Each structure stands twice: as C-alpha cells, then as structure tokens.
C-alpha cells in the first residue's frame, strides 16, 4: 500500500501528463485536415518564436550553476608503529595522571564505550612519557599527514602541482604562521597565482565548509580545479590536565587526514567519482548553549583543553533537525514530503499528540556517512533517522579502525563504502558532520561511475576483517539467553571476559551469576580476580 | 667526554594487535627468579653517515615488528587466583629510552665502569601496581661520533640472558632484513615423570641446597651489604686453553675459569672452606628444549667448599660434578613445585657463578656485517659473596668474566698476581671507577 502511494506521488507528473498528451493527440487526429490550413503560418511568427526559444535556452544555460565534480580523494593511513592499544593508552594515562586516579578511571570508562579499536593511531609526540607536544612535532605531524595524502592523490589522479588553481586547507586546532596552505605551496612549488585559503577553528564540520567554499569558488572561476585538505593535527592538543570533561577528546581524537580534488572542468566529467549535488550548512551559534557546548578553555590549573558540555547530544539533535528541515525538501521524494506536510498540518490543527513524521531518508540516499564523532553520536543518529545497521556500518567501522579523525572522518567512511564495493553509478551519498559552534553541515553527492575496489587506500589491508561487532556484556547475556531459548542450546560454553571496567563491577557480577549460576561469593571472587 | 644525555622515554608497541584474553603462564623456574633482573649491553661501531636520531627511528620501527612475535614480552604481570604471577598478554608494549653520548665507542669503552655502563641500559623496579609496570626496557644510545649501544633489561621472571639475547637477535635480523631467527617458543616446562607419591623426600640433597639457603625472606641480613663493584676480565683463547689444561681432564672452559676465579676469591677473602660456590646454568640443553624456548631456564646447584684444596684442578672437578643432567633438573623442578615459597633474592652467602656459554650475543648484527664490539651482561641483584658471569668473548675460544664483588675485594682481585698459573693472564676490559 505504501509502495503504491510512493510510486503514485513520485511519478505524479507522468501520471498527469500522459493522459493529457493522449487526449490532445486524439483531439488533433480527430479534427479534420481542413482545420490545419486555417492556422496562418506567418514566417515572422516562426522567426520570432525561434529567437525566443534560443534566447530562453541561452539564459537558462548561462545561469545554471556549474557542475562540480569530485575527481578523487585520498585518505592518510598512519604507520602501524603509531598504533595505540587500549592498554598502552591507559598505562600512559596512569603514569602521567598518577595523582588523579579518578580521572584515569574516567578515561578507561570512556575508552571502553567509545567504539574505538586497537589500531587507532596517535602521533609520535604523544607516545612519549610525558608527551612532548612541541611546535616542531606539530609541524612534523602536519607535514607527514598532509604530504602523504597529497602524494597519494597525485598518484591516483595524475594531478600535477602546477595545475592546482585553488587550495583550501582546514585544520581546526593547529594554525601556525605561515599557514598550512603556505606550507603546501612551498613543498609542492604551486603557482604564484594560486587561490589559497586556510580555515582554522571551525571544528569537525570544517571539511564540508571547505567543500562549500570550493564549490562557490569554482562557480566564479571557469575551467578550474580545487584541492581541499581536511585534517586535524593532534600533537599540540593533547590535554595534560585532569578535568574530566576535557579529557574526553584525548580518548577519542586520533591522527588522520584527507586530500580531495574537486573540479568544474568538462574533461573531468567522465573520470570523476562523484558529482556534488547540495551542501547545506546550519549554524546554531546564535544560541548561547550551543555556542558554549564545545569550548576551548583553560582548566583551574591553567592547562588548555577542549571542554565538552553535557548537553552535547541534545544540541546536536537540534542542529540535525534544523539541517534536515532544510535538506529534506531538496532531496526527499515528493511522497515523503507530502506525508511530512500532512502530519505537520495534522499536528497543528487536529491533534498535537500525533507523532511527528520522520521522513524516510533511506528513499533519498543509498549511503550515509555520519561523522564518526563517537559511538553515542552514531547511535543517536541511527535512532533518529531510523537507519539500519548496514547504513551506519561505514561510520562505526571508521570509528573502530581510525578513531575520531575530525573533519576527515567522512572521507574514511566513503573510502570504506568504496572498498566494500558497494558504490554503484547513480548512488546518492549523504555526508553529515557536526562541529563546534555548534554547526551541522551536510553534503549530498551522486556517484558518477561505479567504483571498483582498488588495492590501495587506507582500508586495503583490513577491509576483509570488517565489519566487526562489539558485543557488550549485557548484549552477550541477551545473546546467550536467545540461543538457549530459540536453539535449545543448553551445554555450557565459554564467554571470554576481557576486561571489567571498575564502575560496572556490580552489573557484571549480576550478569555473570545469571549466565553461570554461580553463587554470589564465587561470582564476586571471579570478577575481582580479573585486573 | 663520555657523558650520557637522556633524550626521551616512550612506549613501543608491536605492529600486530594481540587478541585479547590471552595469558602466558610462568613456570616454577620463572617464578623463582622474582626480584631478579637481567641487563644486557651491546656495543657497535657503525659509520656516522646517518643524521642523529635516524638510526634510532629505524630501530624503533623494527623492534615494533619484532615484538609481534613476543606477546608475553609486551604483556603485563598479574596474579592468578592461586596467587602466582602470570603474564596477561594485553598488548601494552615495552618502554624504550633514547639517549646519546658524546665521543666514540672506543673512548667510552676505555673509561667505562659499572655505574657508567648501567646508564646505557634503563631499568625500573616493579611498581606498587604491577599492571602498569613494563617488564622489558630497551635503550638505544647513539654515540655522536659514530657507534651505537643497545641496552635491554628485563625481569628474570620472564626471560633469562639466553632468551633476552635471542630477542635482540630477532630484532637485529628484522632490522637487517635478511632471514629471520626461528620464532620464540612459549610453552610450559616438561613435566617431571610421575614419581610414586611415597617419594616425598628429595633424592639429591645438594641440588636443593642453594634454593633452600636462598629463602631467608627479603632482607635477610640486617646490615646493609658492602658496596659492590663489577670488573670484567677478558681471557684470550690461549689463556683459556692453558687454564683448561691446568684444570684436569674433561674440564670445560666454564669449569676451568670458574675454578680459577673461585680459588682466587677464596684466597682474597681468606674465607677458606666456609666460602662455597653455586653454579647457575642454562638447563635448556639438558631438558631437551629448543633454543627458542623463551623464559627463564637457569638452574642453580651448590658446590661445597669443604675439603677442597686451593688448586684449580680439584675445584674444577667439584664444579664439573655439580653439573646436572636432565633427571637432576627435573627433581629440582619437582621440588620447587612443591615448595611454593622459595625465592632467590640474594639472601645466601655463596659466590654465584653463572654459565652463559650458550648465550650468543655476538650474533646480533643490526647493520651490514657489524657484529657487536663488546657485550656486557648483568644479573642483578648480586647478593651474598658476589657473582661471576662467564660469557664467550668476541674472539672465538676466548672468554669474558664479569666479576661482581665487594669493592675492596674487587680491588685486590685486580692487583692479584697470577703467577701461579703461568700464561693465564686476563686483560682488564672494565675496571673500578676512577675516583
């Protein structure tokens, strides 16, 4: 029934036009040939009509915005020697914060629930005991990340440095003088008339802001390309204090970067991977709470860090709603828009208790790239947009493998989808990013050609091990009960308990008792025997 | 000149993530060495063509690769429900310290003493919370005028000098990029054959004596031990041959040199028959274990000092008779498994002589064909009367003896005249600190 409705509404034009055209044709054929001659065909009328047609066509083509294509992009793959396993991270935290065991425990709890895996990477300066975030080390990280990404991109696209017309770099927390864009111009010897821009302080959504800027510039400059670099340099921003709200970024942010090549050149049209369809930016900074929700400040000891407020998820939800309200009409099929409108009217007029209709974005997009800000963010969005596990798989797996790489995470996610071979011609992709400010930015891409899985890229050596599923202990209990009920499995089997965070000891003991029918004393001893 | 400058300390992880939930249990021979640690220093002379720090960076990368074969090395100690130590393979990594020294390796080696040498190999005693304590420490020291010193220290519970040297060799092979050494083997010791339950007394009394005398509890002696010094004596191939000849038939170089040094120390101390000797040897060969067996496999045996004359031959015979075969070692293992409170923390008063003949330190080549110029090994702490470690020398057939004694005895040993045994004249490669 729903499908019939959708088909009807989405093809309403066709449904209206076809009967009309048939009726007109029938009418013309029925009328006698004599009536044809009564139409005096004046040569001046014909000339005038044709000029009008040509004039309208010209105006249309001139004012149509240029199509912007994403030729290719490359993501940085950190060396495996920069890997930070959980135990190493916790040990360092313990050694550095030895006077604040509560802060260490907090970090451990965050890490457990973060959704990060054991292969995420931090830059070399953070591996020291204590970390040594010097300016040199920060520049070193910037050079490694950015230059490797650009080199990969040049290799895959054949781009020459002198061909770059526009250069946009976004890196929120590291802004040296000369800028990172100047660093790139210097390294690759770019042209002296290059249009370079350096965006700093704009948070995790800055990647899409750069894309938006590139798009606007490519409207003005014909036959040009734009190189966009999105990265976050971790070295100078490792928080050395012990305030809990400021320790969160240490646990989640990891090394990463991406280089993206956009073009409006005709000849890139056939080779490009994606076409940029929409960029929608929503800024909630006018609201004080939203403005202060991700705030860089000094802690009482004078150490600088980024404070994440407790209202983060609520504010993110509101920003998303604003963004969806704008993007919905642009991308949703007519059927969904009508339904949304009807429920809106219904709620206003008839009964405010009607549940608001959440448009089904799965009809507008084949793929979703949700910024991998943390497991909570992805969970919330999955719930709010009613997405399936497969839709958020790219985000979850990027979070697991690379951590929160800030503005470049959307590109790792896109890389995941391509590496899995799921990107087909005509597929539509929705990239959503949140960032300090508080901003929610979206970009919509349409796949230009079916993308074959390649043997390079950051996912090439591990894509076959994904997707993985992280079951929490509570989930494991549910699974065990399910197996026991549905499949009649009654033989004892092993559940491997890797680590018990100290705060969930009681909960864990309860679950262990339920699973193994141990007495309370034995279960307690078992859990306490684990570190 | 010869100043060690500390650069940084960091944690090095392995390139391959360890699957969570794995444990590597420790055997009785491992656990008995609680409180002891091994320190090894290798010196290399490499050309100075590199930028400072470049070699260290490469070595950091290669050790990460090498560590992927050693999950217990990058794990941490935890207690089992029975209260024993075991290793949880939690992928935490090992600590690495980087340092630099001005001058050349040769200058350093001419002026080195125990204190200075120990600055080239970092070590930290066990923390209050051992779960965050790295059991292995690696130090890379670059000499500014060319040269490299690699230091590795580890808890003796996890590795004896043989295994530690093998880890260095695997690291060197990974750096060199050639064929790799055989992978380490982590498995329990062979179990002793099931004796009849009635045999609850030891059949070989002397083999347990050393262990029994070690259980004095920590800090058995109320007074602080006198400050010790380590001197290193190098015996050329001819010296070793002459010593062996003087030691009587069937004497190995270890027997002969140990006998020589034991008789000297006895004479210096004037202790006479009360000063007994314990030998410590690698039991891998007698137990039939592969050389890749990773862990602590050192077994001790006491050699009684009573009734022996001062000559080298008699001493050598006694030492040789104290060597154990596979069954003897098994009895020791069995006894140790019954007695769970035994610890060797230097509470006894014997001179301990450690047989490191099978430790192939000179095989670790990091670059080109530059084998180590010199190798030094320490097994700490040194208790009681002192410790002697006999290792191979760079020269084939030669030996190096590292002797740790109370300072005044070490001084006397250096001044000792060696005329009794003609031709066995060692070269002092590391002497006392210059005041």
């Amino acid at each position: 029934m729903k499908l019939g409705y959708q088909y009807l509404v989405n093809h309403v034009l066709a449904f209206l036009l076809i009967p009309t055209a048939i009726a007109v044709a029938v009418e013309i054929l029925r009328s006698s040939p004599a009536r044809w001659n009564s139409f005096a065909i004046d040569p001046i009328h014909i000339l005038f009509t044709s000029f009008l047609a040509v004039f309208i066509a010209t105006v249309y083509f001139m004012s149509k915005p240029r199509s912007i294509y994403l030729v290719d992009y490359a993501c940085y793959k950190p060396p495996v020697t920069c890997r930070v396993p959980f135990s190493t991270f916790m040990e360092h935290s313990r050694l550095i914060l030895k006077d604040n065991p509560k802060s260490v425990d907090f970090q451990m709890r965050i890490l457990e629930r973060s959704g990060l895996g054991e292969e995420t990477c931090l830059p070399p300066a953070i591996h020291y005991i204590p970390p040594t975030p010097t300016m040199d080390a920060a520049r070193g990280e910037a050079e490694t990340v950015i230059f490797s990404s650009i080199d990969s991109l040049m290799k895959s696209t054949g781009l020459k440095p002198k061909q770059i017309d526009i250069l946009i770099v976004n890196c929120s927390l590291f802004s040296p003088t000369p800028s990172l864009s100047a660093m790139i111009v210097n390294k690759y010897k770019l042209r002296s008339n290059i249009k370079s821009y350096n965006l700093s302080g704009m948070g995790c959504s800055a990647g899409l802001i750069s894309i938006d800027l590139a798009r606007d510039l490519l409207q003005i400059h014909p036959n040009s390309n734009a190189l966009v670099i999105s990265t976050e340099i971790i070295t100078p921003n490792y928080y050395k204090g012990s305030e809990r709200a400021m320790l969160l970024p240490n646990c989640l942010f990891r090394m990463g970067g991406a280089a993206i090549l956009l073009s409006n050149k005709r000849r890139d049209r056939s080779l490009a991977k994606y076409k940029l369809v929409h960029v929608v930016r929503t800024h909630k900074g006018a609201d004080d709470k939203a403005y202060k929700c991700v705030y860089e400040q000094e802690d009482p000891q004078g150490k600088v860090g980024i404070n994440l407020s407790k209202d983060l998820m609520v504010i993110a939800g509101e920003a998303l709603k604003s963004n969806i309200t704008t993007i919905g009409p642009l991308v949703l099929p007519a059927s969904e828009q009508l339904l949304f409108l009807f429920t809106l009217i219904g709620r206003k007029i008839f009964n405010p208790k009607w549940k608001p209709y959440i448009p089904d974005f799965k009809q507008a997009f084949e793929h979703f790239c949700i910024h991998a800000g943390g497991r909570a963010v992805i969970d919330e969005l999955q719930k709010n947009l009613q997405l399936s596990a497969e839709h958020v798989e790219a985000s979850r797996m990027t979070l697991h493998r690379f951590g929160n790489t800030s503005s470049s995470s959307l590109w790792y996610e896109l890389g995941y989808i391509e590496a899995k071979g799921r990107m087909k011609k005509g597929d539509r992709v929705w990239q959503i990013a949140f960032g300090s400010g508080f901003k929610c930015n979206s970009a919509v891409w349409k796949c230009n050609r079916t993308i074959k899985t390649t043997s390079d890229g950051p996912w090439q050596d591990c894509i076959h091990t994904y997707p993985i599923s992280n079951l929490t202990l509570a989930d494991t209990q549910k699974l065990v009960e399910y197996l026991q009920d549905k499949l009649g499995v009654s033989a004892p089997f092993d559940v491997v308990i890797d680590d018990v965070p100290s705060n969930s000891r009681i909960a864990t003991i309860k679950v262990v008792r339920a699973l193994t029918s141990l007495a309370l004393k034995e279960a307690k001893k078992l859990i306490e025997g684990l570190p | 000149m010869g100043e060690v400058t500390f650069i940084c300390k960091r944690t090095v992880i392995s390139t391959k993530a360890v699957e969570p939930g794995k444990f590597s249990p420790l055997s009785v021979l491992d656990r008995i060495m609680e409180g002891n640690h091994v320190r090894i220093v290798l010196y290399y002379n490499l050309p100075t063509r590199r930028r400072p720090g470049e070699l260290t960076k490469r070595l950091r990368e290669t050790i990460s690769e090498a560590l992927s074969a050693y999950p217990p090395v990058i794990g941490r100690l935890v207690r089992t429900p029975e209260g024993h130590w075991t290793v949880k393979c939690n992928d935490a990594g090992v600590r690495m310290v980087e340092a630099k020294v001005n001058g050349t390796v040769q200058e350093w080696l001419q002026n080195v003493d125990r204190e200075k040498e120990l600055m080239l190999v970092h070590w930290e005693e066990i923390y209050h919370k051992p779960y965050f304590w790295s059991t292995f420490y690696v130090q890379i020291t670059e000499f500014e005028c060319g040269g490299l010193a690699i230091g590795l220290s580890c808890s003796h519970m996890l590795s004896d000098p043989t295994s530690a040297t093998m880890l260095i060799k695997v690291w060197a092979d990974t750096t060199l990029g050639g064929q790799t050494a055989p992978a380490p083997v982590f498995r329990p010791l062979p179990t002793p054959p099931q004796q009849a339950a009635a045999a609850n007394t030891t059949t070989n009394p002397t083999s347990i004596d050393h262990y029994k005398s070690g259980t004095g509890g920590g800090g058995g002696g109320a007074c602080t031990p006198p400050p010790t010094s380590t001197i290193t004596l190098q015996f050329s191939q001819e010296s070793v041959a002459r010593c062996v000849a003087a030691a009587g038939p069937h004497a190995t170089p270890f027997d002969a040199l140990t006998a020589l040094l034991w008789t000297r120390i006895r004479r210096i101390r004037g202790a006479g028959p009360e000063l007994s000797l314990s030998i410590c040897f690698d039991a891998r060969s007698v137990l039939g274990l592969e050389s890749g067996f990773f862990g602590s496999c050192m077994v001790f045996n006491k050699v009684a000092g009573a009734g022996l004359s001062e000559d080298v031959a008699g001493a050598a015979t006694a030492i040789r008779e104290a060597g154990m075969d596979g069954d003897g070692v098994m009895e020791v293992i069995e006894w140790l498994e019954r007695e769970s409170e035994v610890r060797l923390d230097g509470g006894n008063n014997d001179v301990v002589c450690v047989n490191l003949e099978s430790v192939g330190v000179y095989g670790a080549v990091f670059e080109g064909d530059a084998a180590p110029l010199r190798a030094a090994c320490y097994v700490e702490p040194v208790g009681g009367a002192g410790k002697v470690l006999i290792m191979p020398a760079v020269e084939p057939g030669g030996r190096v003896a590292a002797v740790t004694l109370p300072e005044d005895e070490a001084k006397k040993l250096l001044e000792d005249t060696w005329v009794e045994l003609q031709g066995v004249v060692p070269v002092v490669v590391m002497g006392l600190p210059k005041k």
Side-chain angles (χ1 to χ4, degrees):
Chain A
M1 152 81 190
K2 192 152 195 253
L3 273 174
Y5 159 75
Q6 284 172 0
Y7 198 69
L8 174 72
V9 174
N10 294 344
H11 297 91
V12 69
L13 270 177
F15 279 120
L16 286 175
L17 272 176
I18 290 176
T20 320
I22 292 173
V24 167
V26 164
E27 189 58 48
I28 290 177
L29 288 172
R30 253 204 292 144
S31 61
S32 55
R35 284 186 55 192
W36 284 108
N37 295 326
S38 64
F39 287 123
I41 298 170
D42 204 341
I44 295 194
H45 282 155
I46 296 173
L47 209 59
F48 180 65
T49 324
S50 45
F51 272 140
L52 193 64
V54 169
F55 178 69
I56 292 172
T58 316
V59 167
Y60 171 72
F61 279 112
M62 291 299 280
S63 61
K64 190 173 83 131
R66 285 183 227 275
S67 299
I68 311 294
Y69 293 94
L70 190 159
V71 179
D72 202 353
Y73 63 96
C75 296
Y76 173 66
K77 180 161 185 255
V80 71
T81 46
C82 287
R83 182 172 85 87
V84 179
F86 275 27
S87 39
T88 316
F89 185 89
M90 286 321 307
E91 226 174 71
H92 277 225
S93 184
R94 197 49 103 125
L95 292 172
I96 295 161
L97 291 176
K98 46 176 153 339
D99 301 323
N100 296 333
K102 283 215 174 89
S103 300
V104 178
D105 283 340
F106 174 76
Q107 282 194 308
M108 185 148 76
R109 290 202 295 276
I110 295 295
L111 212 52
E112 305 266 318
R113 284 189 262 138
S114 63
L116 265 68
E118 304 266 358
E119 310 216 7
T120 61
C121 297
L122 281 173
I126 310 298
H127 290 257
Y128 289 105
I129 300 170
T132 56
T134 59
M135 181 124 200
D136 254 354
R139 279 219 168 99
E141 184 193 340
E143 285 174 11
T144 317
V145 173
I146 295 176
F147 296 164
S148 309
S149 312
I150 297 180
D151 288 341
S152 308
L153 185 64
M154 287 187 171
K155 196 164 137 216
S156 67
T157 56
L159 177 75
K160 303 273 181 302
K162 298 285 185 204
Q163 293 171 334
I164 301 174
D165 302 303
I166 300 166
L167 172 66
I168 303 173
V169 178
N170 75 272
C171 172
S172 188
L173 293 165
F174 179 54
S175 186
T177 297
S179 65
L180 295 175
S181 57
M183 183 177 86
I184 299 172
V185 171
N186 169 261
K187 161 84 172 166
Y188 290 93
K189 313 281 180 262
L190 303 184
R191 298 199 314 258
S192 56
N193 66 347
I194 190 161
K195 304 227 173 333
S196 68
Y197 300 84
N198 195 79
L199 301 175
S200 80
M202 301 192 90
C204 299
S205 57
L208 295 182
I209 298 177
S210 306
I211 299 289
D212 187 40
L213 178 60
R215 179 185 67 161
D216 289 344
L217 289 167
L218 287 172
Q219 300 298 336
I220 306 171
H221 301 290
N223 205 35
S224 307
N225 59 23
L227 177 63
V228 173
I229 312 287
S230 286
T231 183
E232 191 55 73
I233 302 299
I234 310 286
T235 303
N237 304 304
Y238 195 77
Y239 173 59
K240 294 192 255 211
S242 55
E243 287 292 308
R244 287 186 219 181
M246 294 160 80
L247 281 171
L248 235 101
N250 280 7
C251 299
L252 301 176
F253 281 86
R254 296 288 183 265
M255 221 159 84
I260 303 113
L261 182 64
L262 299 171
S263 166
N264 61 11
K265 298 184 187 178
R266 216 155 257 269
R267 65 159 185 272
D268 289 332
R269 204 171 284 200
S270 53
L271 303 165
K273 278 185 172 176
Y274 300 92
K275 180 166 169 233
L276 180 59
V277 182
H278 298 293
V279 176
V280 174
R281 292 168 57 178
T282 313
H283 204 308
K284 301 299 267 181
D287 175 45
D288 281 343
K289 262 177 58 176
Y291 171 65
K292 288 238 168 195
C293 115
V294 179
Y295 206 74
E296 189 180 11
Q297 63 192 52
E298 282 182 0
D299 70 5
Q301 278 77 41
K303 302 209 166 78
V304 176
I306 299 166
N307 196 339
L308 300 177
S309 95
K310 292 189 176 47
D311 309 317
L312 185 57
M313 291 314 304
V314 172
I315 291 168
E318 282 169 26
L320 179 69
K321 248 197 285 189
S322 291
N323 195 287
I324 285 178
T325 316
T326 319
I327 205 175
L330 295 173
V331 296
L332 286 170
S335 53
E336 291 297 315
Q337 296 198 39
L338 268 179
L339 266 177
F340 181 69
L341 195 63
F342 285 151
T343 25
L344 194 68
I345 294 173
R347 286 185 75 211
K348 286 257 188 302
I349 298 176
F350 299 124
N351 184 2
K353 285 218 173 48
W354 274 9
K355 273 176 59 185
Y357 180 71
I358 300 166
D360 187 7
F361 281 93
K362 298 195 282 290
Q363 292 189 38
F365 301 106
E366 276 73 41
H367 306 287
F368 296 80
C369 292
I370 301 167
H371 167 57
R375 195 192 255 181
V377 170
I378 302 175
D379 288 344
E380 263 313 294
L381 255 78
Q382 184 181 6
K383 200 175 76 183
N384 287 342
L385 297 174
Q386 295 171 340
L387 300 175
S388 74
E390 202 186 311
H391 286 123
V392 293
E393 188 184 308
S395 308
R396 286 203 199 279
M397 297 308 124
T398 299
L399 184 64
H400 186 270
R401 173 62 182 85
F402 293 99
N404 179 349
T405 58
S406 184
S407 43
S408 51
S409 67
L410 297 171
W411 302 105
Y412 285 100
E413 294 172 25
L414 201 58
Y416 178 85
I417 300 172
E418 289 181 10
K420 280 285 189 197
R422 295 178 188 162
M423 191 61 77
K424 306 273 181 285
K425 178 168 173 167
D427 281 356
R428 295 153 299 173
V429 185
W430 185 16
Q431 287 183 324
I432 313 171
F434 297 96
S436 61
F438 195 81
K439 304 188 273 288
C440 177
N441 297 333
S442 299
V444 178
W445 304 88
K446 188 158 176 184
C447 180
N448 199 37
R449 56 178 173 86
T450 298
I451 295 169
K452 293 195 281 281
T453 56
T454 53
S455 58
D456 55 6
W459 292 98
Q460 40 115 227
D461 60 347
C462 61
I463 191 71
H464 55 278
T465 63
Y466 285 99
I468 53 114
S469 69
N470 279 320
L471 290 181
T472 61
L473 199 57
D475 291 343
T476 316
Q477 181 189 14
K478 289 192 193 121
L479 178 64
V480 168
E481 285 164 5
Y482 176 82
L483 287 175
Q484 284 174 335
D485 285 335
K486 298 284 179 196
L487 308 175
V489 175
S490 56
F493 47 92
D494 294 324
V495 173
V496 177
I497 301 180
D498 300 334
D499 246 310
V500 180
S502 47
N503 69 323
S504 63
R505 214 150 264 215
I506 295 172
T508 317
I509 292 174
K510 279 192 188 142
V511 174
V512 168
R513 285 193 72 200
L515 281 176
T516 58
S517 343
L518 280 176
L520 177 62
K521 215 165 131 197
E522 274 102 13
K524 198 157 178 257
K525 201 164 155 221
L526 182 70
I527 297 300
E528 263 145 29
L530 298 171
Chain B
M1 193 49 61
E3 291 277 319
V4 181
T5 315
F6 166 86
I7 299 176
C8 69
K9 180 162 86 163
R10 61 169 100 204
T11 303
V12 176
I13 42 81
S14 78
T15 51
K16 204 170 72 166
V18 175
E19 271 173 44
K22 289 210 152 70
F23 286 82
S24 181
L26 297 176
S27 70
V28 277
L29 289 182
D30 292 327
R31 298 197 305 261
I32 195 161
M33 301 306 287
E34 183 179 351
N36 293 290
H37 64 271
V38 177
R39 284 161 119 161
I40 298 179
V41 184
L42 298 177
Y43 295 92
Y44 295 84
N45 216 355
L46 302 170
T48 40
R49 53 196 167 75
R50 286 188 139 115
R51 285 194 307 271
E54 198 188 315
L55 180 60
T56 307
K57 187 157 173 264
R58 168 119 178 92
L59 291 176
R60 256 202 326 265
E61 289 165 16
T62 49
I63 197 173
S64 283
E65 263 182 66
L67 286 173
S68 48
Y70 290 87
V73 169
I74 48 175
R76 294 290 178 262
L77 287 174
V78 295
R79 294 265 186 203
T80 61
E82 292 90 41
H84 295 315
W85 284 121
T86 184
V87 177
K88 181 173 185 201
C89 301
N90 68 349
D91 204 10
V94 302
R95 296 279 180 263
M96 173 177 284
V97 169
E98 294 170 27
K100 61 180 182 194
V101 177
N102 48 4
T104 64
V105 180
Q106 281 78 7
E107 283 163 2
W108 171 270
L109 290 175
Q110 275 164 12
N111 297 320
V112 74
D113 58 59
R114 178 194 157 97
E115 247 180 64
K116 281 198 178 150
E117 192 153 69
L118 290 181
M119 287 207 282
L120 293 182
V121 53
H122 186 77
W123 171 249
E124 288 171 17
E125 285 296 339
I126 189 166
Y127 298 167
H128 179 58
K129 294 238 167 130
Y131 192 53
F132 303 103
W133 176 62
S134 175
T135 44
F136 277 75
Y137 295 83
V138 177
Q139 180 164 338
I140 302 179
T141 311
E142 282 192 28
F143 284 79
E144 280 171 7
C145 301
L148 177 74
I150 302 281
L152 179 82
S153 64
C154 61
S155 163
H156 211 307
M157 278 203 285
L158 270 78
S159 161
D160 56 12
T162 314
S163 290
T165 316
M166 247 204 336
L167 173 57
I168 301 180
K169 177 142 189 356
V170 169
W171 180 14
D173 288 342
T174 314
T175 315
L176 204 52
Q179 94 283 17
T180 45
V185 175
F186 300 98
R187 65 175 176 82
L189 292 173
T191 46
Q194 292 296 331
Q195 301 275 20
N200 59 347
T201 51
T202 56
T203 48
N204 190 351
T206 50
S207 66
I208 323 294
D209 283 351
H210 176 90
Y211 294 95
K212 275 198 189 143
S213 59
T215 59
C223 56
T224 51
T228 51
S229 274
T230 306
I231 57 170
T232 310
L233 307 170
Q234 184 161 309
F235 295 84
S236 69
Q237 195 226 351
E238 294 96 48
S239 299
V240 172
R242 286 200 198 102
C243 194
V244 168
H250 310 298
T252 61
F254 174 74
D255 299 334
L257 288 170
T258 310
L260 175 72
L261 290 165
W262 183 22
T263 47
R264 289 287 158 269
I265 295 170
R266 278 172 72 182
R267 219 163 50 98
I268 290 169
R269 196 168 291 187
E274 295 95 53
L275 183 66
S276 47
L277 175 75
S278 286
I279 56 162
C280 175
F281 62 97
D282 183 356
R284 281 180 181 78
S285 44
V286 296
L287 285 176
L289 296 169
E290 50 275 85
S291 61
F293 180 88
F294 196 87
S296 189
C297 242
M298 309 300 280
V299 177
F300 291 81
N301 198 6
K302 208 171 172 97
V303 179
L308 281 177
S309 61
E310 286 216 353
D311 73 315
V312 172
T317 318
I319 291 166
R320 200 177 62 251
E321 280 166 10
M324 281 190 235
D325 62 354
D327 293 331
V329 173
M330 285 298 200
E331 280 168 1
V332 173
I333 294 175
E334 221 182 339
W335 184 81
L336 285 173
E337 282 184 6
R338 285 200 299 266
E339 309 284 324
S340 55
E341 294 309 311
V342 178
R343 291 287 171 269
L344 290 172
D345 45 14
N348 60 15
N349 281 319
D350 300 348
V351 173
V352 176
C353 194
V354 185
N355 183 343
L356 296 179
E357 297 269 282
S358 56
V359 171
V361 272
Y362 303 103
V365 177
F366 283 87
E367 213 178 61
D369 49 8
L373 279 183
R374 198 198 290 185
C377 185
Y378 295 82
V379 179
E380 306 281 305
V382 174
K387 197 174 265 194
V388 177
L389 278 75
I390 309 276
M391 287 190 342
V394 181
E395 182 198 349
R399 293 292 184 277
V400 169
V403 184
T404 307
L405 293 171
E407 230 177 290
D408 50 340
E409 291 180 27
K411 198 152 169 270
K412 285 189 200 149
L413 187 64
L414 278 180
E415 291 159 4
D416 196 0
T417 50
W418 300 77
V419 290
E420 278 93 325
L421 234 41
Q422 299 220 337
V424 183
V425 182
V427 173
V428 180
V429 288
M430 182 168 90
L432 292 170
K434 299 180 175 38
K435 295 283 188 283

